[in-house]
Amino acid sequence: MIRIAVIYGGQSTEHSISCISAGSIMAELPSGEFEVYPVGITRDGDWVEGSFDPVGGATLPEVTAGRRVTLSASPATKGQFTDALTGEVTAEVDVIFPVLHGKYGEDGTIQGLFELSGIPYVGPGVLASACGMDKECTKTIVAAEGIPVAPGVTLRASGPRTLSGEQRERLGLPVFVKPANGGSSIGVSKVERWEDLDGAIATAFDNDAKVLVEGALVGDEVEVGVLELVDASVRASVPAKLNGTDDSAEGFYGFETKYLDDHVTATIPAPFDEELTRQLQDMAIRAFGALNCKSLARVDFFVTDRGPVLNEVNTMPGFTAISMYPKVWEATGLSYPELVRCLVDTALARAK
Ligand SMILES: Nc1ncnc2c1ncn2[C@@H]1O[C@H](COP(=O)(O)OP(=O)(O)O)[C@@H](O)[C@H]1O
Ligand SMILES: [Mg+2]
């Protein structure tokens, strides 16, 4: 029997998505083989004993107060959860599946705790998670690998909060303004007139101390799944092409378009010729390697008329039954339960 903690919720804006993803994953862990210990993290960051059904029929599920638990940071008691008040052991697990997106879940912080305790876990490690979370870091690292990225300017808290005339000329309109560490398109704006630029920059700075202003990439938005197998080889899925991102109400793949309407659909596999498909898969695997990823990642591109350009790398992509990551693997021949099983087995194999 494999004892597995599934951790979900968390302090990021993707709290509810995480609950839904965790519910789908737990439902696919066969009870004959897995003993699941659900752990929820509230929006305030409290760890509590969770539920096997974190959704419970809610549209925007949420982790609420409960029995507070602590994960040991010591290798001597690795994988041990205790009651935060009494110290009583509540569970001992062999592996952790942190189904957490965004800040404090996908950015290397919680991975650091797992490393300290020596407990195997699903997903990339500290460095890859932190680099994948920070869009400036991602772009610098993959560009050094020869993978094209969007032209842009990075604005820091200490410097100017606008673009110079030369920078405006170089990027041209429209530009996209986004927090360097973000997700779910929160704080992202498409700017079509220079008089709207400073407002968009201020909005992005409300979300982060570092902001990217990028020239607009024109072309299909495409997502590729990357997965590490038990033998440590790395595979890329067929690409998914998103339809309707640019003629949505927001004019791009914004928060509302992502979660609140069904305007955007996906074509999986993307209807590309073999060469383009192979090029995307090859770039996704190279980006995965350059960022020092393991386990899994979803690599997002724009296919421009000058070829694919990498937009971002998500190291714990959405994992609901209808999320893009499991869907591209299904189309590649790996079912949802097989995918979950592969991630857990690989985490356990790596720890041996
Ligand atoms: N340089 C760009 N050119 C064109 N569209 C962009 C650009 N950057 C972001 N977008 C649009 O904004 C969306 C969200 O930006 P993204 O960088 O993926 O941030 P998030 O991490 O919030 O998903 C993208 O899916 C895309 O529709
Ligand atoms: Mg994105």
Side-chain angles (χ1 to χ4, degrees):
M1 195 70 117
I2 300 169
R3 301 168 304 172
I4 182 168
V6 175
I7 307 185
Y8 61 88
Q11 296 183 64
S12 87
T13 45
E14 288 134 307
H15 181 100
S16 293
I17 301 296
S18 160
C19 296
I20 301 171
S21 297
S24 305
I25 288 168
M26 284 191 270
E28 293 301 346
L29 292 168
S31 54
E33 292 167 73
F34 289 94
E35 195 179 299
V36 179
Y37 185 61
V39 176
I41 300 180
T42 67
R43 287 191 193 275
D44 294 329
D46 272 337
W47 291 42
V48 298
E49 264 184 358
S51 151
F52 294 104
D53 176 19
V55 179
T59 357
L60 287 174
E62 181 146 0
V63 176
T64 50
R67 183 187 194 185
R68 289 180 58 207
V69 294
T70 307
L71 171 64
S72 167
S74 162
T77 45
K78 83 172 169 196
Q80 193 176 78
F81 286 87
T82 50
D83 185 301
L85 292 177
T86 65
E88 181 195 340
V89 175
T90 57
E92 282 174 305
V93 302
D94 307 303
V95 58
I96 295 181
F97 199 144
V99 195
L100 296 163
H101 310 303
K103 192 172 178 156
Y104 300 143
E106 197 176 345
D107 63 356
T109 50
I110 202 167
Q111 288 76 13
L113 173 60
F114 302 150
E115 292 289 340
L116 285 174
S117 73
I119 184 82
Y121 57 97
V122 172
V126 172
L127 181 65
S129 300
C131 290
M133 187 72 207
D134 185 301
K135 292 184 167 74
E136 184 196 25
C137 253
T138 303
K139 287 174 70 178
T140 306
I141 291 172
V142 304
E145 183 70 24
I147 297 170
V149 296
V153 172
T154 302
L155 304 177
R156 299 172 205 285
S158 56
R161 296 196 170 198
T162 190
L163 295 188
S164 67
E166 181 274 322
Q167 289 169 329
R168 290 176 196 219
E169 204 158 302
R170 180 163 63 86
L171 298 180
L173 283 169
V175 289
F176 279 82
V177 181
K178 48 185 158 182
N181 295 270
S184 291
S185 303
I186 307 266
V188 179
S189 308
K190 179 179 186 177
V191 170
E192 318 234 30
R193 305 177 310 168
W194 289 124
E195 54 263 45
D196 298 331
L197 177 69
D198 292 358
I201 291 173
T203 301
F205 268 115
D206 286 343
N207 291 275
D208 197 357
K210 189 164 77 173
V211 167
L212 268 58
V213 183
E214 290 183 345
L217 296 166
V218 180
D220 291 330
E221 286 202 58
V222 172
E223 308 191 341
V224 180
V226 181
L227 177 68
E228 180 193 357
L229 305 184
V230 181
D231 65 4
S233 64
V234 174
R235 298 291 152 84
S237 73
V238 298
K241 174 172 104 68
L242 305 181
N243 308 306
T245 49
D246 45 2
D247 61 6
S248 63
E250 291 165 288
F252 65 105
Y253 199 26
F255 178 82
E256 313 222 329
T257 311
K258 269 181 189 169
Y259 299 121
L260 305 177
D261 74 27
D262 51 10
H263 180 79
V264 170
T265 58
T267 306
I268 309 173
F272 298 148
D273 62 31
E274 227 171 275
E275 191 190 332
L276 177 56
T277 297
R278 217 173 309 122
Q279 195 184 5
L280 284 161
Q281 291 173 324
D282 172 63
M283 276 175 149
I285 290 176
R286 276 167 54 215
F288 188 87
L291 285 165
N292 204 28
C293 281
K294 54 191 181 188
S295 190
L296 81 164
R298 198 191 73 219
V299 185
D300 297 351
F301 297 92
F302 286 86
V303 175
T304 71
D305 54 12
R306 301 166 79 182
V309 176
L310 187 144
N311 180 40
E312 62 158 341
V313 177
N314 292 285
T315 53
M316 189 51 76
F319 224 107
T320 72
I322 57 158
S323 293
M324 214 56 75
Y325 187 80
K327 273 182 154 181
V328 286
W329 280 111
E330 214 167 283
T332 311
L334 206 62
S335 69
Y336 190 101
E338 286 168 338
L339 175 62
V340 170
R341 187 67 208 236
C342 173
L343 288 165
V344 175
D345 287 346
T346 303
L348 286 166
R350 200 191 299 128
K352 283 203 182 105

